Amino acid sequence: IETEVQRRKQLIHQSVERKAIISKCYKRKHPEVYVLQDSFLAPDFLEIVRYCTSPDAHLHGLLRYLESFSDKRIYRLPVFTEEFCQTFVDELENFEQSDMPKGRPNTMNNYGVLLNELGMDETFITPLREKYLQPITALLYPDMGGACLDSHKAFVVKYSLHEDLDLSSHYDNAEVTLNISLGKDFTEGNLYFGDFSQDPTPVPKYIEIEHVGAQGLLHRGGQIHGALPIASGERWNLIIWMRSSAIRNQLCPMCNKKPELVEAEGFGDGFTETLEDDAPETVNLCSLW
């Protein structure tokens, strides 16, 4: 355990070093995908956002635009255009084939890309979260801090026959998760969802949900879930863990204890430390994670 704690404490510093090298040396194949544009987003997604930002928006009205699954508060919605997904995956493959240093998303995914190291946080993921996703999550997940998601961790995971095939049961270090299927061609590999982490039942009931290209699944980060093995092809998914410091400052979602904080670069794990004047100072990292 001590070895793992020390390893995790070094992750932030190693990531900063990789990001600096990538920024200086990596030649982007599709530089346009690094800055979010409305043209990347599906027209139906933009319509959902327009509804959510209208004065009379409410939950039941929003649900008319979404596909709901069981009572687990899991929703499918269009997000990107297929053209953007193809171009984005082509850029990711170009990065994978380069000799740049690469950090992997987490201990469960051995193949994929941390988007902050590619330089996509400030110009793509943050505006996507603030301008487009938060109006939606504010209506769907008010109890999870959906109206005040103030940080994130974004990464892409890759599944293929000779690499990662599946993902075992887990829950996310997030209040709300968006999982978007970017492609490519694959068969099987459905997601499955069980209980919410804080109220498991003796015999959990799982549901399977199929991935649909260019569409995303919104769910609570604490919803236990996993990915079944793909049978053929290759699948890329964009995962955005969205975090609310107002919620997680009270209780760390991973250890279920009051967070013990150390300073971290960037968003860290989404916790904040409040000064005497109640002004947030920085976003910090739970010392255990």
Side-chain angles (χ1 to χ4, degrees):
I1 292 175
E2 285 296 329
T3 301
E4 178 64 10
V5 169
Q6 293 305 316
R7 185 191 72 82
R8 294 189 181 205
K9 286 182 176 181
Q10 294 301 314
L11 291 178
I12 294 292
H13 307 296
Q14 294 167 355
S15 181
V16 170
E17 293 175 357
R18 287 193 298 266
K19 183 178 180 181
I21 295 171
I22 293 167
S23 175
K24 181 179 179 180
C25 303
Y26 175 58
K27 182 174 176 57
R28 297 172 175 178
K29 185 175 181 180
H30 300 285
E32 69 276 7
V33 304
Y34 288 77
V35 180
L36 181 64
Q37 303 175 39
D38 274 7
S39 61
F40 299 165
L41 302 169
D44 287 346
F45 176 74
L46 294 172
E47 179 63 27
I48 293 170
V49 176
R50 277 193 291 270
Y51 173 79
C52 291
T53 53
S54 66
D56 300 324
H58 54 83
L59 174 61
H60 294 297
L62 169 59
L63 293 180
R64 293 197 298 265
Y65 293 89
L66 308 177
E67 187 176 357
S68 302
F69 297 92
S70 75
D71 58 350
K72 298 181 185 295
R73 301 172 70 188
I74 304 166
Y75 307 98
R76 178 152 55 206
L77 70 166
V79 181
F80 296 127
T81 66
E82 291 186 6
E83 292 78 12
F84 168 75
C85 291
Q86 292 170 3
T87 305
F88 187 30
V89 169
D90 194 46
E91 175 65 30
L92 295 169
E93 289 180 321
N94 184 69
F95 176 72
E96 279 294 308
Q97 292 161 8
S98 74
D99 59 358
M100 293 294 103
K102 300 172 182 72
R104 297 310 182 187
N106 49 62
T107 55
M108 299 177 74
N109 293 107
N110 299 304
Y111 301 90
V113 181
L114 292 164
L115 295 187
N116 70 307
E117 295 185 5
L118 269 185
M120 296 190 73
D121 256 4
E122 296 82 359
T123 55
F124 193 105
I125 302 298
T126 293
L128 179 64
R129 168 174 53 82
E130 293 179 342
K131 183 178 178 181
Y132 299 92
L133 295 175
Q134 191 159 277
I136 301 172
T137 58
L139 293 177
L140 293 177
Y141 306 107
D143 54 325
M144 307 302 297
C148 51
L149 297 170
D150 50 1
S151 70
H152 62 260
K153 177 179 179 179
F155 52 94
V156 173
V157 294
K158 176 190 175 187
Y159 299 91
S160 70
L161 293 182
H162 303 294
E163 297 175 347
D164 287 339
L165 281 177
D166 55 12
L167 187 61
S168 57
S169 295
H170 66 284
Y171 55 88
D172 300 335
N173 187 357
E175 276 61 68
V176 180
T177 295
L178 176 61
N179 182 334
I180 307 169
S181 178
L182 301 173
K184 304 160 69 173
D185 292 327
F186 61 91
T187 57
E188 300 190 25
N190 289 349
L191 291 181
Y192 62 88
F193 290 86
D195 296 320
F196 192 69
S197 62
Q198 294 177 0
D199 50 18
T201 58
V203 182
K205 295 180 179 179
Y206 286 90
I207 62 169
E208 280 189 37
I209 301 177
E210 182 182 359
H211 273 296
V212 177
Q215 298 200 15
L217 290 171
L218 272 169
H219 62 86
R220 294 172 294 176
Q223 196 82 45
I224 295 173
H225 60 285
L228 296 171
I230 63 170
S232 66
E234 188 175 293
R235 189 178 83 217
W236 295 75
N237 286 69
L238 168 59
I239 314 293
I240 306 177
W241 288 354
M242 294 179 280
R243 295 156 168 171
S244 169
S245 60
I247 299 294
R248 62 182 38 227
N249 284 352
Q250 309 305 313
L251 193 72
C252 172
M254 304 308 287
C255 62
N256 288 319
K257 297 178 181 178
K258 179 72 177 176
E260 299 176 30
L261 305 180
V262 296
E263 290 190 7
E265 298 277 351
F267 289 135
D269 270 13
F271 302 94
T272 56
E273 189 171 68
T274 305
L275 300 176
E276 292 181 2
D277 60 1
D278 290 330
E281 180 187 25
T282 184
V283 179
N284 295 316
L285 176 70
C286 177
S287 63
L288 294 177
W289 295 91

